[in-house]
């Protein structure tokens, strides 16, 4: 299967980074084709720009080349794996921004033009996996 692994942690020495590397090795070892994206390493911009927001509901919602590359990776994936720490009871802002900028209309979902109802996107995706860490012992 074609697997996209998305990692969201700023430290390459973190436990989360170790889990990310281990997930990639394990998936490759099982015979899957794996692409990894480390959002902090790629310096992914989490903020949606004004122009992106204005384009969001158009036929061309993706304006940034990095986002376009990530969209193509998502469209090719059969499995999405997210590796991230749980911070403030949620996912890191960089990952939330990635979801908002990459899983735009036509990718993450489709809006029916007549009914304005949301229809399923992520055409090839058969599985979505979340691997998260939460908390650590206090010293």
């Amino acid at each position: 299967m074609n697997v996209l692994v998305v990692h969201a942690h700023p430290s390459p020495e973190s436990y989360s980074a170790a889990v990310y590397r281990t997930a990639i090795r394990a998936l490759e070892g099982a015979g899957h084709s794996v692409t990894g994206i480390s959002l902090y390493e790629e310096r992914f911009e989490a903020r949606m720009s004004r122009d992106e927001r204005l384009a969001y509901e158009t036929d061309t919602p993706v304006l940034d080349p990095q986002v376009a590359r990530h969209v193509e990776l998502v469209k090719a994936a059969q499995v999405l794996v997210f590796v991230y720490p749980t911070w403030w009871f949620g996912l890191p802002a960089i990952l939330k921004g990635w979801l908002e900028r990459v899983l735009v209309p036509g990718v993450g979902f489709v809006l029916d033009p007549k009914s304005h109802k949301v229809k399923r996107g992520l055409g090839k995706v058969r599985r979505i996996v979340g691997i998260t860490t939460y908390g650590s012992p206090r010293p």
Side-chain angles (χ1 to χ4, degrees):
M1 295 184 91
N2 191 6
V3 182
L4 177 61
V5 183
V6 181
H7 179 238
H9 194 288
S11 174
E13 295 84 25
S14 68
Y15 180 68
S16 181
V19 171
Y20 167 66
R21 291 187 297 270
T22 300
I24 289 174
R25 281 194 308 271
L27 288 162
E28 288 173 340
H32 299 291
S33 173
V34 182
T35 301
I37 296 173
S38 182
L39 298 177
Y40 281 94
E41 283 182 26
E42 289 196 14
R43 298 184 183 275
F44 185 82
E45 175 59 62
R47 294 175 300 158
M48 181 181 289
S49 72
R50 177 185 181 276
D51 289 341
E52 286 174 316
R53 181 59 192 110
L54 292 173
Y56 189 81
E57 293 180 29
T58 71
D59 292 336
T60 54
V62 177
L63 305 178
D64 181 287
Q66 182 184 40
V67 173
R69 184 175 65 82
H70 290 196
V71 164
E72 292 309 312
L73 291 171
V74 168
K75 286 182 174 181
Q78 295 167 293
V79 178
L80 296 176
V81 178
F82 298 97
V83 180
Y84 61 94
T86 299
W87 289 340
W88 290 91
F89 308 102
L91 63 163
I94 197 168
L95 182 54
K96 184 174 185 309
W98 186 88
L99 293 167
E100 291 173 353
R101 293 183 69 214
V102 174
L103 301 185
V104 294
V107 180
F109 60 96
V110 177
L111 281 174
D112 182 276
K114 292 182 182 179
S115 69
H116 298 286
K117 291 185 179 181
V118 175
K119 292 185 177 184
R120 183 182 189 274
L122 302 174
K124 293 183 181 180
V125 175
R126 295 169 51 187
R127 300 271 188 275
I128 298 175
V129 177
I131 304 171
T132 188
T133 58
Y134 186 82
S136 62
R138 298 236 180 225

